[in-house]
Amino acid sequence: MGLFSKLFKGPEIDLAKSDANKEKMRALFNQAVADGADYRLIFGYTEDVSRFNYGFVHGSKTKTGNLIVGWNEASQTIVVVPTVPNLSGCGAPVCYRRTEILKAYRNKYPTDAFIIYPDKKSYIGINAYDWLEDETLYVYVSQAEELAEFTSFFMNRFATK
């Protein structure tokens, strides 16, 4: 269980809604990424939207940006696609290839985020949990198994030593 769901226990997960959102995430990702079917997916978010392309999130006053995060074991690549909580559309994908990044690590405190530095001037912090309850800010999706597999991929194949 992610820290968020440990601290804020809410109602039971609606698996039909979660599965429908997973299908929408897949459709958006495949639309935005040419070889999207080759990637496994999780939902994530970033709290520092000024460091990422969020022009797509029109008029949003939140500092939270929703992300569809895809990873491919064979190519050791992570692709991040910005989206909105209702999954009505997405922005341009950003690709992070393991061989092209400066640094990547998991920052356990204070946010438990996956941090990627593609260069010395910028970074992205990907927060991801098994599920998030607030549908006005986040995509409603249950992803405990996918998150465990992404974490393993990130820590064992993608993170810099």
Side-chain angles (χ1 to χ4, degrees):
M1 236 188 235
L3 177 62
F4 186 91
S5 56
K6 283 181 187 173
L7 295 176
F8 302 100
K9 292 193 183 283
E12 289 297 311
I13 296 170
D14 181 340
L15 291 179
K17 184 186 291 187
S18 174
D19 290 346
N21 283 339
K22 284 181 185 180
E23 288 178 23
K24 287 181 190 177
M25 284 171 45
R26 171 56 65 191
L28 283 174
F29 191 84
N30 288 358
Q31 176 186 347
V33 179
D35 55 349
D38 295 340
Y39 288 80
R40 308 253 337 250
L41 300 182
I42 58 167
F43 164 76
Y45 68 93
T46 187
E47 292 179 342
D48 188 359
V49 298
S50 64
R51 294 188 184 267
F52 200 57
N53 175 17
Y54 281 98
F56 173 74
V57 186
H58 21 260
S60 175
K61 294 193 173 156
T62 180
K63 294 199 174 200
T64 300
N66 286 264
L67 309 171
I68 302 171
V69 180
W71 78 96
N72 181 299
E73 295 252 358
S75 66
Q76 293 190 36
T77 303
I78 293 173
V79 176
V80 178
V81 178
T83 188
V84 289
N86 68 2
L87 296 170
S88 60
C90 65
V94 177
C95 183
Y96 300 97
R97 289 179 183 82
R98 173 65 181 85
T99 56
E100 298 171 354
I101 63 162
L102 183 64
K103 187 176 182 182
Y105 64 95
R106 187 172 182 188
N107 180 10
K108 294 291 282 173
Y109 301 101
T111 62
D112 193 14
F114 301 94
I115 310 294
I116 300 171
Y117 284 88
D119 53 52
K120 291 184 179 182
K121 297 179 183 175
S122 61
Y123 74 94
I124 180 170
I126 302 169
N127 296 276
Y129 299 98
D130 51 356
W131 75 287
L132 294 167
E133 185 181 342
D134 187 348
E135 294 179 71
T136 62
L137 289 178
Y138 309 110
V139 172
Y140 184 95
V141 64
S142 174
Q143 58 184 10
E145 181 181 326
E146 294 90 345
L147 181 55
E149 291 184 24
F150 174 77
T151 301
S152 175
F153 162 76
F154 190 91
M155 296 307 295
N156 296 318
R157 305 273 318 256
F158 197 81
T160 55
K161 304 290 181 201

